[in-house]
Amino acid sequence: MTATMDVDKKLLNTGVLIVATLVVAKLIYAFLIPRSGKRLPPVVKGWPIVGGLVRFLKGPIVMLRQEYPKLGSVFTVKLFNKNITFLIGPEVSAHFFKASESDLSQQEVYQFNVPTFGPGVVFDVDYSVRQEQFRFFTESLRVNKLKGYVDQMVAEAEDYFSKWGDSGEVDLKYELEHLIILTASRCLLGREVRDKLFDDVSALFHDLDNGMLPISVLFPYLPIPAHRRRDRARKKLSEIFARIISSRKSTGKPENDMLQCFIDSKYKDGRPTTESEVTGLLIAALFAGQHTSSITSTWTGAYLLCHKEYLSSVLEEQKNLMAKHGNKVDHDILAEMDVLYRSIKEALRLHPPLIMLLRSSHSDFNVKTREGKEFDIPKGHIVATSPAFANRLPHIFKDPDAYDPDRFAVGREEDKAAGAFSYISFGGGRHGCLGEPFAYLQIKAIWSHLLRNFELELVSPFPEIDWNAMVVGVKGKVMVRYKRRELTAN
Ligand code: HEM
């Protein structure tokens, strides 16, 4: 009997001890280490399920403007069953730009490009192959190649503007779009397209472009007429390039253009590119570089024509360069156009055509804000950053909405105010734009020609932003009155 009571007592004591231990452990957990769990970013409030979508459709930048002051630089938007976490500003976006593909990948979020670029290239292939294809881009855009492209850019600009009268009125946006398609055709797609097939190929690119709708981002294969036209155009472009490539291969005469570089490119295992890959890479180059550059040329013009002080600075620079080099313009002379460079860069800060960059996260990571708050971002989130918003942060850019090219001049250098990711119109880090030097050369070639040969005046109101376009650009026409004049050297 007593033996049984002893056992019962022991059991009771053990039970009490276990419960007490659990309670104490819980208390310690609750009070002493309350922050050891995940510190998830705050979530944008909206109506359940559709709320996020409604907010998003009003425009991501409108949403960012409303939420950033309330929630800070890191927050999550729920869209359907997806969590999109925004990292705004250089203090929290470094991981976005620097992470390896296995941690933050582009493939899933940029899948919608696959039917446009075609099979076997860029986002349709594994990262190891994509990396090699980006190497082909890098090689095709090296300085020795760029030097040749510049001569073609200058020739295209001279030819195009020689067709303007002595004076008149034009839609600058239309004119620059057109000139940039011609230049891109020459430098990227090649002489055959530029000289013989320009109208056909432009029409096909137009169909590819029109097949890239906001809805295509979510549903790239919807059976709608725009997608059917896109698919037909992609097929016809393949046929056209297959003919050009085999004719180049048979004549053996090399050309200085991106097409030739892609034809001559080889993977590490020695395999040459296929005709279909060459076509896909050229399409990708045009999609990356054409609208982005023409939009930036138009904004640059609109700002310069409205800011006489900066217009006179760029004119002064041209006069000095003419005194030094005469009328000649080549790669190295364009490289000396520093004031013009800053004027373009500032237009691009205010109006980056790619307003949102995305990645898909495959591992947990954490970020620390400027205020010292830490957040854990779980794997599975889509991670986003926004050049359009981040480029106007007042703690990085003084008076951020003002056009002020001098903010990049020696002594101020606001583009580096908080390190490498302060200015992100071209992205940065691991996936930074490979075409940045090409884009600046092209825009400088156009504007140095216009400044040297025309007096220009903006006659329509300062343009608004067309937020609805996939590549965000200029809304409506940009009417400019021109008068031919010859700038005289200093
Ligand atoms: C003003 C003109 C341009 C702007 C604003 C621009 C902007 C950008 C941005 C923001 C990215 C990064 C995308 C991301 O991180 O998700 C990017 C990447 C890229 N851009 Fe550009 N771009 C321009 C012109 C060009 C041109 C002319 C070319 C080629 C001829 C080009 C080729 C590329 C390529 C190949 C990438 C991918 C790099 C990678 O993922 O490793 N871009 N560009």
Side-chain angles (χ1 to χ4, degrees):
M1 191 67 177
T2 38
T4 324
M5 276 174 68
D6 274 356
V7 170
D8 281 354
K9 212 168 151 189
K10 259 193 194 152
L11 274 177
L12 188 70
N13 284 348
T14 315
V16 169
L17 196 69
I18 291 173
V19 171
T21 312
L22 283 174
V23 169
V24 171
K26 183 107 183 138
L27 285 174
I28 292 174
Y29 183 75
F31 291 109
L32 293 183
I33 40 174
R35 298 189 177 281
S36 65
K38 284 217 183 307
R39 300 146 303 180
L40 295 175
V43 178
V44 170
K45 290 203 179 63
W47 302 327
I49 306 172
V50 286
L53 182 63
V54 169
R55 304 283 305 270
F56 219 76
L57 289 179
K58 276 192 200 157
I61 302 303
V62 174
M63 193 262 306
L64 291 177
R65 277 195 202 127
Q66 289 167 351
E67 300 303 331
Y68 180 85
K70 284 191 274 176
L71 302 178
S73 54
V74 182
F75 53 84
T76 302
V77 181
K78 290 189 185 290
L79 193 62
F80 296 115
N81 60 342
K82 289 281 177 210
N83 288 300
I84 306 178
T85 294
F86 282 88
L87 304 172
I88 304 293
E91 301 83 4
V92 291
S93 60
H95 183 72
F96 180 98
F97 291 114
K98 291 200 286 197
S100 69
E101 183 75 9
S102 56
D103 289 330
L104 284 187
S105 64
Q106 292 183 312
Q107 187 143 16
E108 301 86 340
V109 286
Y110 293 158
Q111 260 308 298
F112 65 89
N113 290 299
V114 169
T116 310
F117 297 172
V121 290
V122 194
F123 302 114
D124 188 47
V125 291
D126 283 351
Y127 186 56
S128 57
V129 180
R130 196 174 338 137
Q131 249 179 324
E132 294 215 54
Q133 295 179 344
F134 282 146
R135 172 168 59 79
F136 304 159
F137 272 106
T138 307
E139 279 162 14
S140 71
L141 294 164
R142 282 204 197 291
V143 173
N144 63 334
K145 302 280 176 197
L146 288 176
K147 287 191 170 177
Y149 300 161
V150 165
D151 298 339
Q152 298 165 1
M153 291 169 183
V154 171
E156 286 292 342
E158 278 170 5
D159 180 51
Y160 193 85
F161 295 120
S162 73
K163 293 178 184 134
W164 281 13
D166 283 336
S167 63
E169 232 176 74
V170 286
D171 174 6
L172 189 69
K173 182 173 104 174
Y174 172 85
E175 297 293 313
L176 298 183
E177 251 167 36
H178 220 73
L179 170 55
I180 280 184
I181 301 176
L182 288 163
T183 313
S185 295
R186 167 78 68 189
C187 302
L188 308 180
L189 305 183
R191 190 178 42 76
E192 299 85 338
V193 169
R194 172 63 184 87
D195 294 344
K196 296 197 199 90
L197 300 161
F198 182 75
D199 292 337
D200 292 349
V201 170
S202 300
L204 293 172
F205 268 101
H206 197 67
D207 284 349
L208 279 188
D209 237 343
N210 290 342
M212 186 82 91
L213 304 163
I215 188 86
S216 322
V217 175
L218 293 175
F219 307 106
Y221 298 100
L222 268 187
I224 53 174
H227 286 174
R228 276 195 284 274
R229 275 196 297 275
R230 169 198 71 192
D231 298 342
R232 269 199 304 272
R234 177 66 184 76
K235 203 162 154 270
K236 279 199 184 144
L237 278 172
S238 284
E239 290 159 11
I240 291 177
F241 278 104
R243 281 200 297 275
I244 297 175
I245 294 166
S246 63
S247 130
R248 273 200 190 185
K249 282 181 179 163
S250 67
T251 59
K253 185 173 163 271
E255 299 279 344
N256 183 25
D257 48 39
M258 195 178 242
L259 168 63
Q260 190 68 47
C261 295
F262 289 161
I263 294 175
D264 297 338
S265 295
K266 284 199 170 57
Y267 293 91
K268 275 192 302 230
D269 62 5
R271 178 174 85 73
T273 46
T274 65
E275 287 163 1
S276 163
E277 286 169 342
V278 170
T279 309
L281 293 174
L282 285 175
I283 295 173
L286 245 77
F287 268 75
Q290 188 192 308
H291 291 314
T292 46
S293 299
S294 83
I295 289 164
T296 308
S297 312
T298 304
W299 283 121
T300 303
Y303 277 106
L304 283 177
L305 299 185
C306 286
H307 290 78
K308 298 292 171 224
E309 69 279 29
Y310 298 119
L311 182 63
S312 21
S313 310
V314 286
L315 284 169
E316 201 56 26
E317 179 178 63
Q318 292 299 321
K319 289 181 191 170
N320 289 338
L321 287 171
M322 288 166 77
K324 198 167 156 195
H325 303 288
N327 285 339
K328 189 169 171 229
V329 174
D330 63 14
H331 175 275
D332 295 351
I333 296 170
L334 286 180
E336 287 185 55
M337 296 180 187
D338 207 40
V339 184
L340 183 55
Y341 164 77
R342 291 203 299 270
S343 309
I344 299 166
K345 182 165 180 161
E346 177 66 341
L348 193 51
R349 179 186 69 83
L350 291 165
H351 302 287
L354 304 183
I355 59 167
M356 191 92 86
L357 311 177
L358 301 169
R359 303 283 186 267
S360 176
S361 136
H362 297 282
S363 59
D364 301 350
F365 66 98
N366 57 63
V367 293
K368 192 169 183 181
T369 68
R370 199 156 75 92
E371 298 80 17
K373 274 195 207 158
E374 287 191 44
F375 293 110
D376 299 309
I377 291 89
K379 69 174 176 193
H381 277 212
I382 290 176
V383 186
T385 195
S386 167
F389 194 81
N391 276 353
R392 293 186 189 225
L393 287 172
H395 68 277
I396 309 285
F397 299 102
K398 185 171 157 275
D399 200 359
D401 296 331
Y403 182 74
D404 176 9
D406 291 341
R407 65 173 80 244
F408 305 123
V410 179
R412 285 181 66 188
E413 292 171 328
E414 293 180 9
D415 53 327
K416 301 184 185 92
F421 309 114
S422 307
Y423 175 99
I424 54 167
S425 293
F426 288 101
R430 188 174 288 269
H431 293 290
C433 179
L434 299 174
E436 178 175 346
F438 181 96
Y440 274 117
L441 288 167
Q442 183 169 24
I443 302 168
K444 284 198 271 188
I446 293 172
W447 272 102
S448 56
H449 183 91
L450 281 171
L451 292 165
R452 289 177 184 203
N453 293 284
F454 296 94
E455 226 172 75
L456 300 158
E457 184 194 350
L458 183 68
V459 290
S460 54
F462 191 82
E464 288 177 26
I465 303 172
D466 179 8
W467 291 110
N468 292 327
M470 286 283 282
V471 180
V472 168
V474 182
K475 201 181 208 171
K477 294 184 175 179
V478 181
M479 297 309 296
V480 163
R481 196 170 295 147
Y482 68 82
K483 206 165 96 194
R484 228 170 248 285
R485 66 113 184 268
E486 263 177 43
L487 202 65
T488 36
N490 272 349

mmCIF file of all heavy atoms in Angstrom, residues 330-361:
data_model
loop_
_atom_site.group_PDB
_atom_site.id
_atom_site.type_symbol
_atom_site.label_atom_id
_atom_site.label_comp_id
_atom_site.label_asym_id
_atom_site.label_seq_id
_atom_site.Cartn_x
_atom_site.Cartn_y
_atom_site.Cartn_z
ATOM 1 N N ASP A 330 32.758 60.730 -83.011
ATOM 2 C CA ASP A 330 32.978 59.281 -82.951
ATOM 3 C C ASP A 330 32.849 58.822 -81.503
ATOM 4 O O ASP A 330 32.481 59.614 -80.624
ATOM 5 C CB ASP A 330 34.342 58.897 -83.554
ATOM 6 C CG ASP A 330 35.508 59.485 -82.774
ATOM 7 O OD1 ASP A 330 35.294 59.958 -81.630
ATOM 8 O OD2 ASP A 330 36.645 59.495 -83.290
ATOM 9 N N HIS A 331 33.155 57.571 -81.263
ATOM 10 C CA HIS A 331 32.996 57.005 -79.923
ATOM 11 C C HIS A 331 33.712 57.835 -78.860
ATOM 12 O O HIS A 331 33.142 58.186 -77.824
ATOM 13 C CB HIS A 331 33.533 55.559 -79.928
ATOM 14 C CG HIS A 331 33.541 54.913 -78.581
ATOM 15 N ND1 HIS A 331 34.569 55.070 -77.674
ATOM 16 C CD2 HIS A 331 32.634 54.118 -77.967
ATOM 17 C CE1 HIS A 331 34.298 54.399 -76.575
ATOM 18 N NE2 HIS A 331 33.131 53.811 -76.721
ATOM 19 N N ASP A 332 34.997 58.180 -79.135
ATOM 20 C CA ASP A 332 35.785 58.857 -78.106
ATOM 21 C C ASP A 332 35.304 60.299 -77.894
ATOM 22 O O ASP A 332 35.362 60.814 -76.778
ATOM 23 C CB ASP A 332 37.277 58.827 -78.476
ATOM 24 C CG ASP A 332 37.800 57.386 -78.474
ATOM 25 O OD1 ASP A 332 37.041 56.489 -78.011
ATOM 26 O OD2 ASP A 332 38.923 57.145 -78.953
ATOM 27 N N ILE A 333 34.817 60.923 -78.958
ATOM 28 C CA ILE A 333 34.309 62.298 -78.804
ATOM 29 C C ILE A 333 32.987 62.266 -78.019
ATOM 30 O O ILE A 333 32.771 63.085 -77.123
ATOM 31 C CB ILE A 333 34.172 62.983 -80.185
ATOM 32 C CG1 ILE A 333 35.567 63.121 -80.816
ATOM 33 C CG2 ILE A 333 33.480 64.342 -80.067
ATOM 34 C CD1 ILE A 333 35.586 63.543 -82.261
ATOM 35 N N LEU A 334 32.153 61.289 -78.314
ATOM 36 C CA LEU A 334 30.908 61.160 -77.527
ATOM 37 C C LEU A 334 31.239 60.952 -76.048
ATOM 38 O O LEU A 334 30.541 61.455 -75.165
ATOM 39 C CB LEU A 334 30.063 59.984 -78.033
ATOM 40 C CG LEU A 334 29.333 60.165 -79.366
ATOM 41 C CD1 LEU A 334 28.552 58.898 -79.711
ATOM 42 C CD2 LEU A 334 28.385 61.357 -79.354
ATOM 43 N N ALA A 335 32.325 60.205 -75.809
ATOM 44 C CA ALA A 335 32.705 59.932 -74.415
ATOM 45 C C ALA A 335 33.096 61.212 -73.672
ATOM 46 O O ALA A 335 33.062 61.259 -72.439
ATOM 47 C CB ALA A 335 33.853 58.931 -74.374
ATOM 48 N N GLU A 336 33.458 62.256 -74.420
ATOM 49 C CA GLU A 336 33.828 63.524 -73.774
ATOM 50 C C GLU A 336 32.610 64.386 -73.435
ATOM 51 O O GLU A 336 32.746 65.428 -72.810
ATOM 52 C CB GLU A 336 34.751 64.325 -74.704
ATOM 53 C CG GLU A 336 36.148 63.763 -74.812
ATOM 54 C CD GLU A 336 37.046 64.678 -75.641
ATOM 55 O OE1 GLU A 336 37.165 65.874 -75.326
ATOM 56 O OE2 GLU A 336 37.607 64.173 -76.642
ATOM 57 N N MET A 337 31.425 63.972 -73.888
ATOM 58 C CA MET A 337 30.224 64.806 -73.685
ATOM 59 C C MET A 337 29.626 64.558 -72.308
ATOM 60 O O MET A 337 28.586 63.928 -72.154
ATOM 61 C CB MET A 337 29.196 64.521 -74.786
ATOM 62 C CG MET A 337 29.682 64.902 -76.152
ATOM 63 S SD MET A 337 28.455 64.560 -77.422
ATOM 64 C CE MET A 337 29.427 64.934 -78.885
ATOM 65 N N ASP A 338 30.296 65.128 -71.330
ATOM 66 C CA ASP A 338 29.938 64.841 -69.955
ATOM 67 C C ASP A 338 28.659 65.546 -69.510
ATOM 68 O O ASP A 338 27.834 64.981 -68.795
ATOM 69 C CB ASP A 338 31.124 65.297 -69.097
ATOM 70 C CG ASP A 338 31.172 64.515 -67.839
ATOM 71 O OD1 ASP A 338 30.917 63.300 -67.900
ATOM 72 O OD2 ASP A 338 31.422 65.128 -66.775
ATOM 73 N N VAL A 339 28.501 66.791 -69.958
ATOM 74 C CA VAL A 339 27.300 67.554 -69.563
ATOM 75 C C VAL A 339 26.067 66.906 -70.196
ATOM 76 O O VAL A 339 25.025 66.736 -69.544
ATOM 77 C CB VAL A 339 27.430 69.041 -69.993
ATOM 78 C CG1 VAL A 339 26.233 69.843 -69.503
ATOM 79 C CG2 VAL A 339 28.720 69.643 -69.472
ATOM 80 N N LEU A 340 26.207 66.509 -71.454
ATOM 81 C CA LEU A 340 25.093 65.842 -72.129
ATOM 82 C C LEU A 340 24.782 64.513 -71.433
ATOM 83 O O LEU A 340 23.618 64.163 -71.216
ATOM 84 C CB LEU A 340 25.435 65.623 -73.613
ATOM 85 C CG LEU A 340 24.334 65.002 -74.482
ATOM 86 C CD1 LEU A 340 23.035 65.793 -74.404
ATOM 87 C CD2 LEU A 340 24.788 64.895 -75.945
ATOM 88 N N TYR A 341 25.848 63.807 -71.051
ATOM 89 C CA TYR A 341 25.674 62.532 -70.327
ATOM 90 C C TYR A 341 24.844 62.742 -69.056
ATOM 91 O O TYR A 341 23.886 62.023 -68.790
ATOM 92 C CB TYR A 341 27.056 61.953 -69.989
ATOM 93 C CG TYR A 341 27.034 60.861 -68.940
ATOM 94 C CD1 TYR A 341 26.634 59.568 -69.268
ATOM 95 C CD2 TYR A 341 27.395 61.132 -67.617
ATOM 96 C CE1 TYR A 341 26.598 58.565 -68.306
ATOM 97 C CE2 TYR A 341 27.365 60.140 -66.650
ATOM 98 C CZ TYR A 341 26.965 58.872 -67.000
ATOM 99 O OH TYR A 341 26.917 57.887 -66.039
ATOM 100 N N ARG A 342 25.197 63.774 -68.293
ATOM 101 C CA ARG A 342 24.471 64.018 -67.038
ATOM 102 C C ARG A 342 23.026 64.433 -67.302
ATOM 103 O O ARG A 342 22.128 64.104 -66.533
ATOM 104 C CB ARG A 342 25.181 65.106 -66.224
ATOM 105 C CG ARG A 342 26.521 64.678 -65.676
ATOM 106 C CD ARG A 342 26.911 65.497 -64.466
ATOM 107 N NE ARG A 342 27.034 66.923 -64.763
ATOM 108 C CZ ARG A 342 28.150 67.517 -65.153
ATOM 109 N NH1 ARG A 342 29.252 66.802 -65.298
ATOM 110 N NH2 ARG A 342 28.173 68.806 -65.394
ATOM 111 N N SER A 343 22.819 65.146 -68.418
ATOM 112 C CA SER A 343 21.457 65.585 -68.749
ATOM 113 C C SER A 343 20.575 64.386 -69.091
ATOM 114 O O SER A 343 19.393 64.357 -68.751
ATOM 115 C CB SER A 343 21.473 66.556 -69.935
ATOM 116 O OG SER A 343 22.400 67.579 -69.693
ATOM 117 N N ILE A 344 21.164 63.405 -69.784
ATOM 118 C CA ILE A 344 20.413 62.183 -70.120
ATOM 119 C C ILE A 344 20.160 61.379 -68.846
ATOM 120 O O ILE A 344 19.049 60.922 -68.577
ATOM 121 C CB ILE A 344 21.208 61.325 -71.139
ATOM 122 C CG1 ILE A 344 21.444 62.085 -72.433
ATOM 123 C CG2 ILE A 344 20.495 59.999 -71.410
ATOM 124 C CD1 ILE A 344 22.489 61.450 -73.358
ATOM 125 N N LYS A 345 21.208 61.262 -68.053
ATOM 126 C CA LYS A 345 21.115 60.462 -66.828
ATOM 127 C C LYS A 345 20.042 61.002 -65.880
ATOM 128 O O LYS A 345 19.337 60.248 -65.213
ATOM 129 C CB LYS A 345 22.490 60.473 -66.132
ATOM 130 C CG LYS A 345 22.555 59.645 -64.886
ATOM 131 C CD LYS A 345 24.001 59.415 -64.477
ATOM 132 C CE LYS A 345 24.035 58.572 -63.221
ATOM 133 N NZ LYS A 345 25.315 57.937 -63.007
ATOM 134 N N GLU A 346 19.922 62.349 -65.869
ATOM 135 C CA GLU A 346 18.932 62.971 -64.988
ATOM 136 C C GLU A 346 17.509 62.758 -65.514
ATOM 137 O O GLU A 346 16.580 62.516 -64.736
ATOM 138 C CB GLU A 346 19.264 64.461 -64.808
ATOM 139 C CG GLU A 346 18.282 65.263 -63.985
ATOM 140 C CD GLU A 346 18.208 64.872 -62.496
ATOM 141 O OE1 GLU A 346 18.637 63.774 -62.148
ATOM 142 O OE2 GLU A 346 17.675 65.675 -61.717
ATOM 143 N N ALA A 347 17.345 62.803 -66.843
ATOM 144 C CA ALA A 347 16.022 62.516 -67.420
ATOM 145 C C ALA A 347 15.639 61.073 -67.088
ATOM 146 O O ALA A 347 14.484 60.770 -66.756
ATOM 147 C CB ALA A 347 16.051 62.732 -68.927
ATOM 148 N N LEU A 348 16.617 60.209 -67.127
ATOM 149 C CA LEU A 348 16.397 58.790 -66.855
ATOM 150 C C LEU A 348 16.169 58.517 -65.359
ATOM 151 O O LEU A 348 15.484 57.573 -65.001
ATOM 152 C CB LEU A 348 17.621 58.019 -67.353
ATOM 153 C CG LEU A 348 17.560 56.517 -67.471
ATOM 154 C CD1 LEU A 348 16.348 56.059 -68.240
ATOM 155 C CD2 LEU A 348 18.823 56.014 -68.157
ATOM 156 N N ARG A 349 16.733 59.375 -64.514
ATOM 157 C CA ARG A 349 16.443 59.230 -63.075
ATOM 158 C C ARG A 349 14.961 59.528 -62.820
ATOM 159 O O ARG A 349 14.269 58.773 -62.134
ATOM 160 C CB ARG A 349 17.298 60.199 -62.238
ATOM 161 C CG ARG A 349 17.018 60.101 -60.728
ATOM 162 C CD ARG A 349 17.768 61.155 -59.939
ATOM 163 N NE ARG A 349 17.278 62.501 -60.180
ATOM 164 C CZ ARG A 349 16.235 63.051 -59.581
ATOM 165 N NH1 ARG A 349 15.544 62.380 -58.680
ATOM 166 N NH2 ARG A 349 15.857 64.292 -59.871
ATOM 167 N N LEU A 350 14.480 60.609 -63.423
ATOM 168 C CA LEU A 350 13.087 60.993 -63.204
ATOM 169 C C LEU A 350 12.123 60.049 -63.915
ATOM 170 O O LEU A 350 10.994 59.883 -63.484
ATOM 171 C CB LEU A 350 12.880 62.436 -63.676
ATOM 172 C CG LEU A 350 13.576 63.490 -62.805
ATOM 173 C CD1 LEU A 350 13.649 64.829 -63.522
ATOM 174 C CD2 LEU A 350 12.868 63.644 -61.467
ATOM 175 N N HIS A 351 12.588 59.452 -65.015
ATOM 176 C CA HIS A 351 11.683 58.605 -65.812
ATOM 177 C C HIS A 351 12.330 57.297 -66.250
ATOM 178 O O HIS A 351 12.539 57.066 -67.435
ATOM 179 C CB HIS A 351 11.212 59.388 -67.043
ATOM 180 C CG HIS A 351 10.527 60.648 -66.677
ATOM 181 N ND1 HIS A 351 9.270 60.674 -66.137
ATOM 182 C CD2 HIS A 351 10.943 61.936 -66.726
ATOM 183 C CE1 HIS A 351 8.932 61.919 -65.869
ATOM 184 N NE2 HIS A 351 9.928 62.705 -66.215
ATOM 185 N N PRO A 352 12.624 56.421 -65.302
ATOM 186 C CA PRO A 352 13.153 55.122 -65.732
ATOM 187 C C PRO A 352 12.049 54.341 -66.442
ATOM 188 O O PRO A 352 10.959 54.190 -65.882
ATOM 189 C CB PRO A 352 13.535 54.444 -64.404
ATOM 190 C CG PRO A 352 12.700 55.114 -63.369
ATOM 191 C CD PRO A 352 12.443 56.507 -63.850
ATOM 192 N N PRO A 353 12.299 53.858 -67.656
ATOM 193 C CA PRO A 353 11.222 53.165 -68.386
ATOM 194 C C PRO A 353 10.846 51.828 -67.754
ATOM 195 O O PRO A 353 9.718 51.390 -67.883
ATOM 196 C CB PRO A 353 11.813 52.944 -69.784
ATOM 197 C CG PRO A 353 13.128 53.638 -69.819
ATOM 198 C CD PRO A 353 13.516 54.027 -68.446
ATOM 199 N N LEU A 354 11.786 51.174 -67.081
ATOM 200 C CA LEU A 354 11.445 49.939 -66.369
ATOM 201 C C LEU A 354 11.189 50.329 -64.918
ATOM 202 O O LEU A 354 12.121 50.564 -64.149
ATOM 203 C CB LEU A 354 12.568 48.910 -66.484
ATOM 204 C CG LEU A 354 12.980 48.564 -67.924
ATOM 205 C CD1 LEU A 354 14.048 47.490 -67.940
ATOM 206 C CD2 LEU A 354 11.783 48.128 -68.758
ATOM 207 N N ILE A 355 9.899 50.417 -64.553
ATOM 208 C CA ILE A 355 9.561 51.011 -63.251
ATOM 209 C C ILE A 355 9.609 49.989 -62.118
ATOM 210 O O ILE A 355 9.633 50.354 -60.960
ATOM 211 C CB ILE A 355 8.166 51.679 -63.283
ATOM 212 C CG1 ILE A 355 7.074 50.669 -63.646
ATOM 213 C CG2 ILE A 355 8.162 52.869 -64.234
ATOM 214 C CD1 ILE A 355 5.670 51.203 -63.387
ATOM 215 N N MET A 356 9.622 48.714 -62.494
ATOM 216 C CA MET A 356 9.562 47.680 -61.464
ATOM 217 C C MET A 356 10.458 46.511 -61.861
ATOM 218 O O MET A 356 10.359 46.009 -62.981
ATOM 219 C CB MET A 356 8.124 47.194 -61.409
ATOM 220 C CG MET A 356 7.841 46.326 -60.258
ATOM 221 S SD MET A 356 7.250 47.273 -58.911
ATOM 222 C CE MET A 356 5.550 47.307 -59.355
ATOM 223 N N LEU A 357 11.328 46.076 -60.964
ATOM 224 C CA LEU A 357 12.174 44.911 -61.222
ATOM 225 C C LEU A 357 11.764 43.814 -60.247
ATOM 226 O O LEU A 357 11.458 44.107 -59.089
ATOM 227 C CB LEU A 357 13.650 45.279 -61.027
ATOM 228 C CG LEU A 357 14.119 46.558 -61.742
ATOM 229 C CD1 LEU A 357 15.588 46.831 -61.409
ATOM 230 C CD2 LEU A 357 13.937 46.443 -63.246
ATOM 231 N N LEU A 358 11.765 42.578 -60.722
ATOM 232 C CA LEU A 358 11.223 41.485 -59.912
ATOM 233 C C LEU A 358 12.193 40.309 -59.811
ATOM 234 O O LEU A 358 12.998 40.080 -60.717
ATOM 235 C CB LEU A 358 9.927 40.962 -60.555
ATOM 236 C CG LEU A 358 8.780 41.948 -60.740
ATOM 237 C CD1 LEU A 358 7.709 41.334 -61.608
ATOM 238 C CD2 LEU A 358 8.209 42.359 -59.402
ATOM 239 N N ARG A 359 12.070 39.580 -58.722
ATOM 240 C CA ARG A 359 12.794 38.320 -58.561
ATOM 241 C C ARG A 359 11.887 37.368 -57.788
ATOM 242 O O ARG A 359 10.984 37.804 -57.086
ATOM 243 C CB ARG A 359 14.081 38.500 -57.730
ATOM 244 C CG ARG A 359 15.078 39.512 -58.254
ATOM 245 C CD ARG A 359 15.871 38.992 -59.433
ATOM 246 N NE ARG A 359 16.899 39.953 -59.802
ATOM 247 C CZ ARG A 359 16.741 40.905 -60.725
ATOM 248 N NH1 ARG A 359 15.611 41.022 -61.393
ATOM 249 N NH2 ARG A 359 17.728 41.742 -60.994
ATOM 250 N N SER A 360 12.217 36.067 -57.876
ATOM 251 C CA SER A 360 11.492 35.084 -57.101
ATOM 252 C C SER A 360 12.447 34.535 -56.052
ATOM 253 O O SER A 360 13.568 34.138 -56.381
ATOM 254 C CB SER A 360 11.032 33.996 -58.071
ATOM 255 O OG SER A 360 10.424 32.992 -57.376
ATOM 256 N N SER A 361 12.007 34.514 -54.777
ATOM 257 C CA SER A 361 12.956 34.150 -53.725
ATOM 258 C C SER A 361 12.906 32.657 -53.393
ATOM 259 O O SER A 361 11.830 32.097 -53.212
ATOM 260 C CB SER A 361 12.680 35.031 -52.510
ATOM 261 O OG SER A 361 12.696 34.289 -51.355
#
